[in-house]
Amino acid sequence: MSGKKRVLSGIRATGRLHLGNYLGAVKGMLSLQDNPDYETLYMIADLHTMTTPYDPEELRVNRREVVMDYLAAGLDPKRSIIFAQSDVPEHTELAFYFATVVSVARMQHLPTFKDKVKQYPKAVTMALLNYPILMAADILAYKAELVPVGVDQEPHLEIAREIARKMNQTYGTDFPEPQRFETSGGYVPSLVGEGKMSKSVSGSYITLTDDLSTIRKRLATVPTDSGKGEKVPEKGGVANLLVLVGLFMGEDRRRTCEAQYRSEGIRYQALKDELSEAIHRELEPFQRRRNLLTEDQPYVDRVLREGSEKARRIARETLDRVRGKVGLG
Ligand code: TRP
């Protein structure tokens, strides 16, 4: 063992990354990758995509799109193990052994499960019920201790810890209890008023591949007001616009805008133009790398192939031990 702490995170293969993913999650993943105290594994959770209704052709495309987005954003196969979940069959094997220590009732009562049942009442499958067990297997196949994910994933991590404890008690394995790793990435607000930038809220996001005119169009939809008043709004379109100004044009500029709001007023058209350019400038290096990758599919294939080979070596070792402990070895 290298003495490094292992980090694993998974990203569902649902589509292109947006600014919220980038600042909220990817930057945190990059900082862990660049920190020598950690060994990082980053996985495309393509099997998890199959737990709710999906289109096989879209999945085939999205797996690669997500990998290219991550590579262009700076994930580096020399420093992180980058792989697709379905290329490491040990995950599903381990999930089966884990299923022997989890009750059906426990899974049915999870808030994340109930949400999905509401969302897709006609597609309540065993795959969906098993979602958290597979996620626990993703993490514990590598005995990863740290999992950089959003707070919405906490119930799933709780399940992973329960499974680790139960496996250790029942079979004498030595799984660690993984913890969520809080990444300090910025909170990126939605373009349409309330909440955060989200793939599932149309009109709320800017994707990392948007060109300048698309960014302009998207910012044009942010609702604004007359531009001046005694108090700068704390919620809604103007507040969100100012958060974006802070993120992409600097906190000084944001304070200047706030002062303007309280005095002569903000001219939103000009501000939105400037902000569009600032965002586009930040995205340009990403887009250049992304274009190169699009033209080099063999490289993308090789990253996934080599990543899965490295991942499998670690996961196979865990699985061989577990097989012995559960009476199969
Ligand atoms: N459930 C996670 C999400 O929706 C994705 C995921 C799957 C994951 N397997 C994982 C995250 C393992 C961390 C570790 O965001």
Side-chain angles (χ1 to χ4, degrees):
M1 276 297 282
S2 53
K4 291 186 182 204
K5 277 207 169 181
R6 229 173 238 155
V7 171
L8 181 131
S9 194
I11 305 97
R12 293 226 284 158
T14 42
R16 291 287 180 89
L17 289 184
H18 56 68
L19 276 181
N21 300 133
Y22 181 62
L23 295 179
V26 182
K27 282 212 161 163
M29 290 162 67
L30 291 174
S31 72
L32 288 166
Q33 160 182 277
D34 297 335
N35 184 327
D37 296 338
Y38 300 112
E39 178 183 3
T40 43
L41 292 109
Y42 295 128
M43 168 191 94
I44 317 302
D46 49 4
L47 294 175
H48 276 117
T49 309
M50 301 169 66
T51 62
T52 46
Y54 77 101
D55 175 50
E57 237 0 275
E58 264 174 44
L59 176 58
R60 202 186 322 280
V61 172
N62 279 337
R63 283 172 99 218
R64 307 183 66 84
E65 295 286 334
V66 175
V67 182
M68 287 191 277
D69 275 353
Y70 279 87
L71 292 172
L75 287 196
D76 176 0
K78 294 201 184 69
R79 284 175 288 172
S80 292
I81 300 179
I82 300 168
F83 67 102
Q85 184 182 32
S86 66
D87 289 337
V88 185
E90 282 74 10
H91 292 218
T92 42
E93 185 186 350
L94 188 58
F96 185 82
Y97 305 143
F98 283 178
T100 67
V101 299
V102 182
S103 78
V104 173
R106 177 73 176 98
M107 291 293 100
Q108 283 173 329
H109 287 117
L110 269 189
T112 45
F113 176 71
K114 289 185 181 164
D115 286 349
K116 291 288 183 213
V117 169
K118 259 193 222 132
Q119 205 179 339
Y120 304 103
K122 295 215 174 87
V124 185
T125 62
M126 284 307 299
L128 182 62
L129 192 62
N130 268 306
Y131 186 116
I133 303 182
L134 179 59
M135 180 163 159
D138 297 337
I139 300 165
L140 295 173
Y142 307 95
K143 300 189 178 162
E145 289 173 82
L146 294 176
V147 184
V149 280
V151 66
D152 61 307
Q153 294 297 309
E154 194 56 58
H156 291 154
L157 284 180
E158 187 54 44
I159 294 286
R161 289 189 286 271
E162 273 176 42
I163 288 178
R165 281 195 295 274
K166 283 230 179 98
M167 287 296 293
N168 295 348
Q169 279 162 11
T170 313
Y171 300 115
T173 49
D174 60 350
F175 289 112
E177 292 186 26
Q179 306 296 323
R180 196 166 70 84
F181 186 86
E182 190 71 63
T183 54
S184 59
Y187 171 88
V188 184
S190 161
L191 300 183
V192 287
E194 307 271 283
K196 66 176 186 176
M197 201 173 267
S198 161
K199 197 81 213 193
S200 51
V201 181
S202 75
S204 80
Y205 55 84
I206 292 174
T207 73
L208 299 186
T209 36
D210 284 347
D211 60 15
L212 182 56
S213 77
T214 309
I215 297 174
R216 281 217 178 91
K217 273 189 221 129
R218 297 207 198 251
L219 283 185
T221 66
V222 179
T224 50
D225 56 14
S226 69
K228 61 196 287 184
E230 277 169 33
K231 209 166 158 292
V232 181
E234 284 168 12
K235 278 208 309 231
V238 173
N240 292 356
L241 196 64
L242 292 176
V243 173
L244 293 172
V245 166
L247 288 169
F248 293 95
M249 299 166 71
E251 284 305 317
D252 282 351
R253 183 58 200 266
R254 175 182 175 166
R255 276 189 290 274
T256 313
C257 286
E258 286 171 356
Q260 261 175 341
Y261 192 90
R262 288 185 297 259
S263 54
E264 78 269 23
I266 296 180
R267 287 183 46 237
Y268 289 117
Q269 186 54 52
L271 183 65
K272 283 182 174 182
D273 273 348
E274 253 190 278
L275 179 60
S276 303
E277 275 163 31
I279 292 175
H280 187 247
R281 217 174 302 127
E282 170 108 2
L283 294 182
E284 260 182 331
F286 167 88
Q287 295 181 352
R288 267 198 304 274
R289 287 193 294 265
R290 185 74 170 67
N291 288 338
L292 291 176
L293 285 166
T294 313
E295 286 159 22
D296 195 357
Q297 291 303 313
Y299 173 74
V300 177
D301 287 335
R302 198 174 76 220
V303 167
L304 283 179
R305 194 178 56 245
E306 292 179 359
S308 71
E309 280 165 11
K310 287 184 203 158
R312 280 199 83 172
R313 270 198 292 277
I314 305 173
R316 195 63 246 166
E317 209 176 292
T318 308
L319 264 295
D320 286 343
R321 290 232 185 91
V322 173
R323 282 180 64 97
K325 296 283 189 187
V326 300
L328 298 172

